[in-house]
Amino acid sequence: YEDAKKYLDNQSWDRAILTYKALQTRYPFGRYTEQSMLDLSYAHFKAREPESALSTLNRFIRTYPTHPNVDYAYYLKGLVNFEENMDFLERMMPNRVHDRDQSAARDAFNDFNELIRRFPESRYVADARQRMVFLRNNLAAYEVAVANYYMRRKAYIAAANRARFALENYPGTPQNADALVVMHKAYTELSLPDLADGAMEVLELNYPDNYYVQGRKKKRSWSDRLWPFD
């Protein structure tokens, strides 16, 4: 165990993994087994082996559900999935994170949420909450990006449904205004004026400075000058 810990501290991830595995094989019920599983999971995580990390963490949680450090296992699961959602290019261009599949982001969000639900006093809760805010905004942006893709393809029903999904599942995110814009455009194209007007009313009430709202106001003011009788 001391050898494995030394490799881990020196960031020799491959050697740490091999040594921790040897420890668990030779002493499957030894006093270092439990902690070595957590350390092995971390080594897999740092070695960019997410599947092995998650497998080891899930086994730890099933085997030692009352372990004093089980909250760390839930937190590390969230980190593994969080990092899986971020590759090098995305770190350089974080505004592009939402362009890829979001299954890992959803898993990370659920992992952090489970940590907070089960261990509200854990030392890892504060960081987990911060990451959940990022993930929530990212997931909302992804849904809006998909909705805009459907708009470009003139699949207006799919666009409206995707935008409504973003509003219902990720309320209060910065992307809500964009989702309402998509809904207004899609319902207008579908000749559903009541639904289009409803989306616009919500947009105007909650986001009066939005570019789309301001643009429509300018159009209305121009027409008002042509027909000033109300």
Side-chain angles (χ1 to χ4, degrees):
Y1 179 81
E2 289 178 357
D3 287 343
K5 188 67 167 61
K6 179 182 66 176
Y7 293 137
L8 192 72
D9 292 340
N10 291 333
Q11 301 184 10
S12 300
W13 312 124
D14 292 340
R15 287 189 174 186
I17 290 169
L18 290 174
T19 311
Y20 280 123
K21 286 183 175 180
L23 170 64
Q24 292 176 21
T25 300
R26 296 181 186 181
Y27 307 100
F29 305 105
R31 61 175 180 156
Y32 297 107
T33 302
E34 298 173 14
Q35 185 59 43
S36 70
M37 289 181 68
L38 290 176
D39 292 346
L40 175 61
S41 302
Y42 181 76
H44 279 306
F45 166 54
K46 298 302 289 185
R48 302 184 70 85
E49 298 173 356
E51 293 182 1
S52 296
L54 292 172
S55 175
T56 306
L57 287 166
N58 287 329
R59 189 167 72 251
F60 178 88
I61 291 170
R62 287 195 307 269
T63 308
Y64 309 108
T66 60
H67 191 277
N69 294 330
V70 72
D71 61 331
Y72 172 73
Y74 282 100
Y75 174 68
L76 187 53
K77 277 186 65 177
L79 279 185
V80 172
N81 282 312
F82 184 89
E83 293 296 323
E84 183 69 3
N85 191 54
M86 304 276 291
D87 62 21
F88 176 77
L89 289 178
E90 289 168 340
R91 293 174 198 277
M92 299 298 292
M93 298 181 292
N95 60 315
R96 305 297 297 177
V97 175
H98 62 263
D99 286 351
R100 64 174 296 173
D101 176 67
Q102 295 297 303
S103 56
R106 294 188 188 94
D107 289 341
F109 187 92
N110 292 333
D111 292 332
F112 289 135
N113 191 52
E114 187 73 0
L115 164 68
I116 294 171
R117 186 182 69 82
R118 289 176 177 265
F119 309 98
E121 304 300 323
S122 170
R123 59 186 289 195
Y124 305 108
V125 163
D127 185 71
R129 287 189 190 280
Q130 292 285 337
R131 293 176 186 273
M132 286 179 71
V133 170
F134 171 84
L135 289 166
R136 195 163 175 268
N137 292 342
N138 186 49
L139 289 167
Y142 174 75
E143 296 300 330
V144 173
V146 174
N148 278 312
Y149 168 78
Y150 284 137
M151 285 295 297
R152 293 193 296 271
R153 298 294 298 270
K154 299 184 178 182
Y156 301 122
I157 294 177
N161 289 341
R162 207 69 185 240
R164 188 174 69 249
F165 179 87
L167 284 173
E168 292 174 349
N169 288 273
Y170 309 110
T173 60
Q175 291 73 28
N176 283 178
D178 293 335
L180 287 165
V181 170
V182 170
M183 290 174 66
H184 180 265
K185 291 179 178 179
Y187 288 139
T188 299
E189 293 290 346
L190 291 167
S191 299
L192 297 171
D194 290 343
L195 293 176
D197 290 343
M200 178 53 63
E201 287 177 10
V202 176
L203 182 64
E204 289 177 334
L205 179 64
N206 292 278
Y207 308 97
D209 297 327
N210 181 268
Y211 75 95
Y212 192 71
V213 173
Q214 293 300 315
R216 286 179 58 80
K217 282 183 178 179
K218 289 179 181 178
K219 290 180 181 179
R220 284 201 296 269
S221 63
W222 177 80
S223 62
D224 288 344
R225 286 196 299 270
L226 291 180
W227 185 261
F229 310 104
D230 241 344

